[in-house]
Amino acid sequence: MIAKKHVFARSVATRQSVLLPERLLLHCIHRHDVLSGTGLLFNVHTSSRLERSGTEGSLRQQITAIATAELGVKEATGNNDGKRVEEYLRYTNLGKGHQWCAAFVSWCYGQAGLLQPRNPWSPALFPNANTYWKQGKFANSQIRKVAVSDIFGIYGAAAKRINHVGLVKEAQSKYLLTIEGNSNNRVESRRRHRSTIYALADWITGNKNLH
């Protein structure tokens, strides 16, 4: 795996996202790894999800760093194409022309050494075993924390399913800051109110599928 360095990136305002204040437009990887389930505030010291060892926290930071390094990657012609976009798609056995948000998330996990998830279909990233937040509440009694590099899903009313996914980067107040692919034809950071998040999935805690 090619080493990635932490980079600064500028977020792009979109129709579905809230415009980021200037002080948040320039951002970098932080040392905090876990977000509290109450108000989504940082709470790294009390998280039971990281207490087994420091390995999981390091892995979460690595995934976030990998995704951050991709900020600014964009499609060549606006048709789900371009050298880097097609690399994400190939990782999930697809070619250009397909929606690639789930492929991007899968690729980021793969670059960090995780064999799963590796699926270009957004709903497939939220099996019951991994989904701990659904429709505004925690669905898993064992999890009460939201962690960096977990996967979020947005429900599409027209599609009648989760039709967009991305990675949790950090949070402020009641918002999640994200890194997501296939957003305005690029990889970008967005600010989403947690009320718009349909589901959250944890593919890292206890994951044995390492390269």
Side-chain angles (χ1 to χ4, degrees):
M1 183 184 70
I2 299 175
K4 305 276 185 181
K5 63 181 180 179
H6 293 183
V7 297
F8 290 91
R10 185 170 293 275
S11 176
V12 178
T14 69
R15 291 190 301 272
Q16 297 179 350
S17 62
V18 178
L19 182 64
L20 288 173
E22 184 64 25
R23 63 189 175 84
L24 287 177
L25 285 175
L26 290 177
H27 53 77
C28 62
I29 300 299
H30 294 278
R31 297 180 63 84
H32 303 290
D33 290 307
V34 176
L35 313 178
S36 169
T38 305
L40 298 179
L41 301 175
F42 286 109
N43 187 352
V44 70
H45 298 296
T46 61
S47 173
S48 60
R49 296 174 70 185
L50 292 182
E51 65 185 10
R52 293 185 185 89
S53 70
T55 302
E56 183 183 316
S58 297
L59 181 58
R60 290 181 182 280
Q61 288 184 340
Q62 184 180 4
I63 292 170
T64 304
I66 289 166
T68 299
E70 300 299 301
L71 286 166
V73 169
K74 60 184 179 180
E75 297 172 8
T77 68
N79 294 296
N80 299 317
D81 58 356
K83 183 177 180 181
R84 195 61 156 177
V85 170
E86 291 169 42
E87 183 178 337
Y88 306 146
L89 286 166
R90 280 197 302 273
Y91 183 74
T92 55
N93 298 313
L94 288 179
K96 65 181 180 179
H98 293 276
Q99 298 295 321
W100 51 279
C101 60
F104 170 73
V105 168
S106 297
W107 181 88
C108 290
Y109 270 62
Q111 295 300 295
L114 288 168
L115 295 177
Q116 298 293 334
R118 190 170 185 172
N119 200 307
W121 195 50
S122 295
L125 303 189
F126 299 89
N128 289 336
N130 300 83
T131 302
Y132 64 89
W133 169 278
K134 194 170 184 179
Q135 294 180 283
K137 61 182 180 181
F138 285 98
N140 185 328
S141 61
Q142 303 301 312
I143 298 178
R144 287 293 183 268
K145 306 290 182 182
V146 180
V148 166
S149 291
D150 280 346
I151 302 171
F152 73 86
I154 302 295
Y155 188 88
K160 296 182 179 179
R161 62 172 175 82
I162 292 174
N163 66 348
H164 184 68
V165 301
L167 296 169
V168 175
K169 180 181 184 291
E170 58 182 81
Q172 185 177 48
S173 186
K174 295 181 180 180
Y175 292 87
L176 288 181
L177 298 186
T178 70
I179 302 175
E180 48 199 271
N182 207 11
S183 177
N184 286 327
N185 302 329
R186 68 183 68 213
V187 178
E188 64 181 4
S189 179
R190 292 174 61 166
R191 186 176 184 236
R192 293 183 179 273
H193 195 281
R194 64 173 175 170
S195 65
T196 68
I197 304 299
Y198 180 80
L200 287 160
D202 177 8
W203 285 82
I204 300 174
T205 303
N207 195 325
K208 305 300 182 183
N209 297 311
L210 296 174
H211 287 300

